[in-house]
Structure formats: structure tokens, C-alpha cells
Amino acid sequence: MGKEFVKDDPELIARLRDPAGCRDAFCEVIKLYGEPLYWQIRRMVESHEDADDLLQNTFMKAWSSIENFRGDAKLSTWLYKIAINESISFLARERKRLNLSLDDEESHLVNLIEADTFIDGDELALKLRKAIATLPEKQRIVFNMRYYDEMKYEDMSEVLGTSVGALKASYHLAAKKIEQYFADND
């Protein structure tokens, strides 16, 4: 699934299903998927501390429901689903806690980007992060998955439960809005 995700390892899946080797196998899952999941979450919530907490929540949820992982979907898809749902729930709670409208959330995310001391980047990368923050949540998710993770639309469809055609349209709209953002903010 994208450049950062490894292919599902049937041996690892078998070890996850075996009560004797499950704990060690799950530690391997954390090592394999921790960084790519962190960055997916981080690009959604923009705060290192929040992303770190949500990553821990993601792995805790995965661990507590590992017996429910049947292998119908890829392990990476299953983990991505958990991470994205955790991020969306967090953003909704933050909107409510801070009493933000969806439009205000955009400003809030841009402020988090500007205050971010954990990521050093050039001005162009910062401008791209700000442009992405102005996108509606679904377009932001699709754009991040496609642009940063180079995820195939078919894999995104599994994670998000949305048709490939709708995902392609979302990505196209997101790219156009980002182009417009750059044109308007030169």
C-alpha cells in the first residue's frame, strides 16, 4: 500500500493469530507500521503530540481487537482504517471542544502548521501543508494518501469504503484547490 507500507507477510499474520506468538508478532507490526501510520495521522491533525497519542490509540485498538482481524483485508488496510477513524473522531472532538465550525477548523489547522516546531521544511513544503489544511476533511485524507503515501485508489477504496471513481474525483478536486491556493498566495 504505497511506498511506505510493506506487503502483508503471511507468516506474520499466522503469528498474530497464534496466542503463543501474538505479542512478539504485534511488536513487529508496531515496528513495521508505526512510522507510516504516524505520518498519515500527523498530516490529518498537524500536531506532533496529538499524532503521537492517536498512534498509540490506534495500536491499542488494534491490539484489543486483534482476534477480530480475519485477514479478509490487508493488515495495512485494517491499521489504516483504525488510524483514520481515530483521527476523524479526534478532529470532531476538537471542533466541538474548541467550538469550531468546519471553516474555523481550517484556520486552526493552519495555525498549528505555523506553530509547528517539530517539522523543518522549506517554504514550499510549508505552503503545501497550509494548502492541504484548507481542503475539506475527505479531500484532505484522499490527497494525503495519494500524494504522500502513493496509495493506489483500490487500496484507498478498501480503507475508506468509497468507490474508486469517487476517490479519483476527490483527488482531482483537491489538486485543483491546491493549485488555486498557490495561485492566490504567490
Side-chain angles (χ1 to χ4, degrees):
M1 281 184 71
K3 63 184 175 189
E4 296 177 352
F5 273 81
V6 294
K7 295 279 185 210
D8 273 1
D9 176 357
E11 183 184 313
L12 178 60
I13 305 278
R15 288 179 26 230
L16 282 170
R17 291 191 176 129
D18 176 14
C22 187
R23 189 175 296 277
D24 288 339
F26 197 76
C27 287
E28 195 173 323
V29 167
I30 291 170
K31 286 179 192 162
L32 286 171
Y33 295 104
E35 187 175 345
L37 285 172
Y38 167 84
W39 284 108
Q40 176 62 35
I41 294 166
R42 176 69 189 272
R43 286 188 292 266
M44 289 180 67
V45 302
E46 293 299 344
S47 160
H48 166 71
E49 291 84 5
D50 293 335
D52 211 34
D53 290 346
L54 290 168
L55 179 63
Q56 287 180 34
N57 292 352
T58 297
F59 282 127
M60 288 188 320
K61 274 207 169 140
W63 174 252
S64 69
S65 61
I66 194 71
E67 68 279 353
N68 297 330
F69 178 70
R70 295 181 309 276
D72 299 341
K74 295 178 197 170
L75 179 61
S76 51
T77 301
W78 183 65
L79 291 168
Y80 241 110
K81 263 186 187 174
I82 295 170
I84 287 171
N85 288 336
E86 282 295 303
S87 300
I88 290 170
S89 295
F90 170 80
L91 289 170
R93 283 191 309 273
E94 281 296 285
R95 264 194 310 273
K96 189 174 184 175
R97 184 180 73 82
L98 298 171
N99 198 23
L100 298 174
S101 69
L102 287 174
D103 290 338
D104 292 337
E105 182 183 36
E106 170 190 316
S107 299
H108 177 68
L109 289 173
V110 169
N111 288 339
L112 288 174
I113 291 167
E114 289 173 347
D116 192 349
T117 58
F118 286 94
I119 295 181
D120 289 329
D122 61 21
E123 201 171 314
L124 190 59
L126 181 64
K127 195 172 184 179
L128 178 58
R129 287 178 62 207
K130 287 180 183 180
I132 293 168
T134 67
L135 297 172
E137 187 172 82
K138 180 83 170 201
Q139 287 178 14
R140 197 166 63 238
I141 293 167
V142 171
F143 186 85
N144 284 334
M145 292 172 113
R146 185 74 179 151
Y147 182 80
Y148 288 108
D149 296 330
E150 297 176 7
M151 192 180 291
K152 295 177 185 166
Y153 287 111
E154 292 76 14
D155 292 332
M156 277 192 268
S157 178
E158 277 187 55
V159 171
L160 300 172
T162 305
S163 74
V164 169
L167 292 168
K168 286 180 178 180
S170 285
Y171 182 79
H172 179 74
L173 285 170
K176 288 289 184 199
K177 287 177 183 176
I178 289 169
E179 281 178 30
Q180 191 60 51
Y181 180 90
F182 273 79
D184 295 344
N185 291 284
D186 266 340

